[in-house]
Amino acid sequence: RVATGVRDIKSHTGHAILLHERGDVQGTGGNIYGPLGRHGLGDKAVRWGPILDGATGIATGASHSLAIRADQSLWIWGRNESPDPRSVLTEVIGVAAGSDTSIALTQDGALWQWRTGARPRRIFDCGR
């Protein structure tokens, strides 16, 4: 057993992040570009380590990761970003990550897309 109380887990290209029931985000695996935050930065984290707290949702791409916090703010860290999580969007209810892109759904039904290091831009309105 490596973890208990896990609500969700996501992985991509040699690393994984998990979301605990209490809202803590942890990561393990390859961390050259920082998808695990400062935990094992520049190398490989061989144990689960803390990244962020207060989360309700997670996503990870090839070299970046994201978390939705309880206040619906979206946080990003990793390649072309800082290893320290930073807020990028509000009122987020869903998120997904690709190789170097992310997409988020906001409470008003809008889809937002961006590449790491760039600002999110509204790409579609789901008509709410």
Side-chain angles (χ1 to χ4, degrees), residues 73-95:
S73 60
L74 181 64
W75 295 70
I76 190 169
W77 61 94
R79 188 174 201 166
N80 299 324
E81 303 287 345
S82 170
D84 299 314
R86 71 176 180 90
S87 180
V88 291
L89 206 54
T90 59
E91 298 183 3
V92 175
I93 58 173
V95 66

Side-chain angles (χ1 to χ4, degrees), residues 99-120:
S99 182
D100 67 347
T101 59
S102 301
I103 192 163
L105 174 65
T106 51
Q107 195 170 23
D108 63 358
L111 285 175
W112 298 75
Q113 188 271 331
W114 68 102
R115 294 186 94 110
T116 58
R119 296 179 58 112

Side-chain angles (χ1 to χ4, degrees), residues 1 22 29 35 61 67 69 78 86 97 112 123 125:
R1 179 183 301 187
R22 65 182 176 269
R69 281 195 154 153
R86 71 176 180 90
W112 298 75
I123 61 168
D125 186 347

Side-chain angles (χ1 to χ4, degrees), residues 6-11 16-20 23-27 48 51-52 54-61 64-69 74-75 77 93-97 103:
V6 176
R7 180 186 305 165
D8 197 5
I9 188 163
K10 305 290 185 194
S11 64
I17 61 173
L18 66 80
L19 174 61
H20 281 273
D24 297 337
V25 178
Q26 293 189 336
W48 290 101
I51 301 171
L52 183 84
T56 59
I58 55 173
T60 193
H64 73 290
S65 297
L66 303 108
I68 303 170
R69 281 195 154 153
L74 181 64
W75 295 70
W77 61 94
I93 58 173
V95 66
I103 192 163

